[in-house]
Amino acid sequence: MSIRASFLVPALLLGLLQAQDGPETVIRGPKQFKKSTVITGLAGPWEITWGPDAHIWVTERTGKQISRIDPATGEKKLAATLPEVSAPGGQDGLLGMALHPELLKGTGNDYVYVFYTYVDNTLPADPTVTDLTSPYRNLYGKIVRLTYTASTGKLTNPQTVIAGLPAGNDHVAGRIKVGPDGKLYLTLGDQGNNQLGNVCLPVQSQRLPTKKELEAKDYVSYQGKSLRLNIDGSIPADNPKINGLISHVYTYGHRNPQGIDFGPDGTLYSSEQGPKTDDEMNILKPGRNYGWPHVVGLKDNKAYEFARWAEAKTPCSELRFSDLAIHPSVPREPESAFKQKMEPPLATLFTVPSSYNFQDPRCQGIDFICWPTTAVSSIEYYASKGKGIPGWDPVLLVTTLKRGSLYVVPLKPNGKAKSGYLFRYFQSENRFRDTAVSPDGKTIYIATDPGGLAGTASGGTTRTMLDKGSILAYTYTGEGTGKGEEPVVTKAEPSAQPAATPAAAAGGIPPQFTAAQVAAGKAAYNSNCAVCHGSTMTNGTFGTPLAGEYFKSNWGGRPLRAFFDKSQKTMPPAAPASLPADSYANIVAYILDTNGFKAGSSSLPAGGEALDKMTIK
């Protein structure tokens, strides 16, 4: 199949572009590519990289495997399974991977480094996780070095480089690279604090480690940072001194930096997810502050205010988080209130004015899919050097989750600044996770998520991915004709339109539950469900909506027993039916309350025939 894209340059765009990029600064790329599928059925491919053995090396986030894929045949060769990996949610598990530059070069440095989350009961439990049964109570991150043996094709002898790094149910980040200086570079997210189920937890991205913490190897302050480590995990002596202390911290003030890559001159590029606006592409410089949570994009007071939910006059635990309506008791401040020196972004996806309408009716309540941010998930430096894709000299290749697209960011020849328009390619109903490039520069390989929520070509939302858990190949075939074409439209249906109307239950009484169950259910939901389904039950990235039109369309008229059983049998995804039965009853009560049902004096039972008599209506 030949995938083409439009070359549309409206006259109003022909002026100079602003420092920050709004949606109008992107045009559909003119180059043509042939799409093919290398492999499907992968369990969350997260990192793909071209190896010195002419194979694509891949980590599977929930599959806990490292494999080598033959790009010509799609044959999968398992290199290692890592049973220690724990992947209870949507952003944890086996994540980043870096091949040692001398792998298979005969120097004895046949090493592969991976970052993953694991359970460590020898370390203190996270005091912010009060649920004793939560899989996140003792979840940490670590870097492990494995040794590759070419004769067997296996990775063995795992050695811990560093352990006890912060990890949680959201914004883990976890991209790792070996730099040209021989050091390891790792990104860590802010853990999703100050939003969704973690709304009452302050963001730690500006907090720097103390001497006492470093001596104790307590890395809690590494949230929202990029790290630079010696190859053995120790602190490089030439790391930046920040606030009078040298630590692993290389840069700080980050939200969810899921991508890093080096240019040939050692420039370190990063892609970072923003909130409603301003995904960022940055150049990471030692010791610099990148502004989060005080600033996203430039310090321009556009469409973002820092709301300190944990400091609300009304106790935060009594509030329901919203991205669109900040409760009046929550302190808030404009970006201009932040007076510290910070590093501006190289480019943004996307900046909009404060008057922007963040409730696009096409997304039918799942508003975050339609927001200007695209959920950037990786970044790769590319230069054709006269042999690859003409005109890309140099560019940044940036994948996105919400819009299933590859954005091409042109750079000036020195690679230090953006140059001209951004281009969009390969729009599809997928979640693009990472890229790898063939040695001749002609083929771009893209890994896709097996599930989640994404935007449709028509501007709505879908939970049906076109290419589930795949590695796709896009091979350059030539320049476009300049004729405008619409994106490829798939068969995926908008998530607010179920495939079939559920059968209505005959009769039945309304659901019965108490206010106490709602309160207990809110805590249990935030601990176990919010990271996937969202705090409003319509703004989750991985889970289907549990409120609004989608809930009504799918569950209206059905026995409550069907919804209860579905919840118990499938949640949490990493350990279905693992919660106490009363917890499921409480969570269901909270979901019903969110959908407008009223609490009463009778409790919702945790199973039994009584559930069959209740109808969601």
Side-chain angles (χ1 to χ4, degrees):
M1 168 171 88
S2 178
I3 294 185
R4 299 184 182 183
S6 308
F7 187 45
L8 303 177
V9 188
L12 60 89
L13 294 183
L14 294 180
L16 292 175
L17 299 180
Q18 297 179 350
Q20 285 195 109
D21 305 285
E24 75 282 357
T25 63
V26 173
I27 57 179
R28 195 160 301 285
K31 301 181 186 302
Q32 296 185 58
F33 294 82
K34 177 183 178 181
K35 175 188 174 185
S36 59
T37 301
V38 177
I39 188 172
T40 63
L42 298 175
W46 204 88
E47 177 93 39
I48 57 173
T49 189
W50 189 273
D53 56 351
H55 282 62
I56 300 170
W57 293 57
V58 57
T59 63
E60 294 177 71
R61 186 182 68 81
T62 56
K64 308 179 183 183
Q65 294 181 346
I66 305 169
S67 299
R68 299 162 50 247
I69 310 296
D70 186 328
T73 65
E75 180 186 3
K76 178 181 177 182
K77 304 171 184 178
L78 181 63
T81 299
L82 303 175
E84 186 187 32
V85 172
S86 178
Q91 300 202 35
D92 39 40
L94 178 54
L95 302 175
M97 171 179 60
L99 309 184
H100 194 286
E102 297 178 7
L103 177 67
L104 298 179
K105 299 291 178 62
T107 65
N109 291 312
D110 294 323
Y111 300 130
V112 173
Y113 300 86
V114 291
F115 173 81
Y116 59 78
T117 56
Y118 72 110
V119 173
D120 194 335
N121 291 315
T122 68
L123 294 175
D126 186 340
T128 68
V129 181
T130 56
D131 182 355
L132 299 181
T133 65
S134 172
Y136 297 101
R137 188 164 168 79
N138 284 85
L139 193 74
Y140 287 91
K142 65 162 48 175
I143 297 175
V144 169
R145 188 194 77 185
L146 299 116
T147 302
Y148 181 65
T149 303
S151 61
T152 62
K154 299 297 182 182
L155 287 165
T156 58
N157 191 29
Q159 300 292 315
T160 297
V161 175
I162 189 171
L165 296 171
N169 63 8
D170 203 1
H171 291 187
V172 176
R175 195 71 66 181
I176 185 173
K177 296 290 180 183
V178 179
D181 56 1
K183 309 297 184 184
L184 289 172
Y185 291 78
L186 174 71
T187 63
L188 294 175
D190 70 352
Q191 312 300 295
N193 290 357
N194 201 48
Q195 68 165 18
L196 307 180
N198 301 323
V199 63
C200 297
L201 303 177
V203 176
Q204 302 293 319
S205 298
Q206 293 290 324
R207 188 171 93 74
L208 295 166
T210 66
K211 183 178 179 181
K212 183 177 180 181
E213 287 173 336
L214 289 180
E215 290 173 347
K217 295 186 178 181
D218 179 356
Y219 303 127
V220 64
S221 66
Y222 285 5
Q223 299 174 42
K225 312 293 191 298
S226 74
L227 308 183
R228 180 175 183 260
L229 309 89
N230 286 322
I231 214 77
D232 62 0
S234 61
I235 298 172
D238 60 347
N239 264 11
K241 180 180 286 188
I242 310 174
N243 200 25
L245 190 67
I246 295 177
S247 67
H248 292 104
V249 175
Y250 188 67
T251 62
Y252 63 108
H254 298 292
R255 187 173 183 267
N256 193 17
Q258 286 195 355
I260 51 172
D261 195 30
F262 285 93
D265 64 350
T267 299
L268 179 54
Y269 300 95
S270 170
S271 62
E272 178 172 338
Q273 294 177 6
K276 296 199 300 293
T277 68
D278 295 287
D279 286 335
E280 296 178 357
M281 275 63 73
N282 290 302
I283 293 178
L284 299 187
K285 301 177 182 179
R288 300 295 178 87
N289 185 347
Y290 289 78
W292 178 255
H294 301 275
V295 179
V296 295
L298 290 180
K299 196 186 297 184
D300 56 10
N301 293 339
K302 287 185 178 180
Y304 173 76
E305 287 185 311
F306 176 30
R308 303 175 184 269
W309 287 83
E311 300 173 19
K313 292 180 180 179
T314 300
C316 181
S317 59
E318 298 177 11
L319 302 177
R320 180 165 291 178
F321 174 75
S322 171
D323 296 282
L324 302 173
I326 300 173
H327 193 274
S329 71
V330 176
R332 53 208 288 186
E333 63 185 40
E335 293 175 309
S336 58
F338 187 57
K339 302 303 182 183
Q340 295 185 35
K341 184 179 179 181
M342 59 161 286
E343 193 70 18
L346 180 74
T348 60
L349 298 176
F350 291 102
T351 302
V352 295
S354 298
S355 59
Y356 186 88
N357 180 14
F358 287 96
Q359 293 180 288
D360 190 326
R362 291 177 300 175
C363 278
Q364 300 181 334
I366 312 175
D367 296 308
F368 81 98
I369 289 293
C370 290
W371 290 344
T373 45
T374 63
V376 291
S377 50
S378 72
I379 195 166
E380 184 158 355
Y381 178 92
Y382 178 97
S384 72
K385 299 178 181 178
K387 299 179 180 179
I389 300 170
W392 288 8
D393 292 293
V395 299
L396 297 175
L397 307 178
V398 180
T399 54
T400 67
L401 300 175
K402 282 166 42 176
R403 297 182 189 165
S405 299
L406 179 77
Y407 287 85
V408 178
V409 182
L411 300 175
K412 292 185 176 179
N414 64 5
K416 307 298 185 184
K418 182 175 68 68
S419 176
Y421 301 102
L422 283 67
F423 295 90
R424 185 179 183 182
Y425 285 91
F426 315 145
Q427 182 183 357
S428 64
E429 286 155 3
N430 282 309
R431 290 167 57 87
F432 284 177
R433 177 59 64 178
D434 192 24
T435 58
V437 178
S438 61
D440 65 1
K442 298 287 189 180
T443 300
I444 302 169
Y445 297 94
I446 299 180
T448 68
D449 282 358
L453 293 171
T456 64
S458 60
T461 64
T462 184
R463 61 186 177 89
T464 303
M465 301 296 102
L466 176 62
D467 302 287
K468 299 179 180 179
S470 303
I471 297 178
L472 308 176
Y474 293 90
T475 301
Y476 172 74
T477 59
E479 297 301 297
T481 62
K483 178 182 177 181
E485 287 189 16
E486 292 301 314
V488 174
V489 179
T490 72
K491 297 179 181 179
E493 77 280 358
S495 61
Q497 301 295 325
T501 302
I509 62 173
Q512 307 290 306
F513 57 92
T514 66
Q517 285 184 302
V518 172
K522 179 180 179 181
Y525 176 89
N526 285 339
S527 177
N528 297 282
C529 313
V531 65
C532 289
H533 295 279
S535 59
T536 63
M537 303 188 190
T538 61
N539 59 354
T541 304
F542 289 91
T544 53
L546 297 175
E549 290 301 316
Y550 185 88
F551 183 84
K552 286 183 193 177
S553 298
N554 279 271
W555 297 103
R558 301 181 68 179
L560 185 58
R561 177 62 171 268
F563 183 71
F564 183 94
D565 288 352
K566 172 84 171 182
S567 302
Q568 190 174 46
K569 291 177 181 178
T570 61
M571 295 292 142
S578 62
L579 303 178
D582 287 344
S583 293
Y584 287 103
N586 294 338
I587 291 171
V588 169
Y590 177 55
I591 293 171
L592 292 168
D593 177 78
T594 299
N595 282 280
F597 292 89
K598 302 299 182 184
S601 57
S602 299
S603 296
L604 179 71
E609 295 181 359
L611 289 175
D612 295 318
K613 300 176 181 179
M614 299 180 191
T615 301
I616 302 174
K617 61 180 181 180

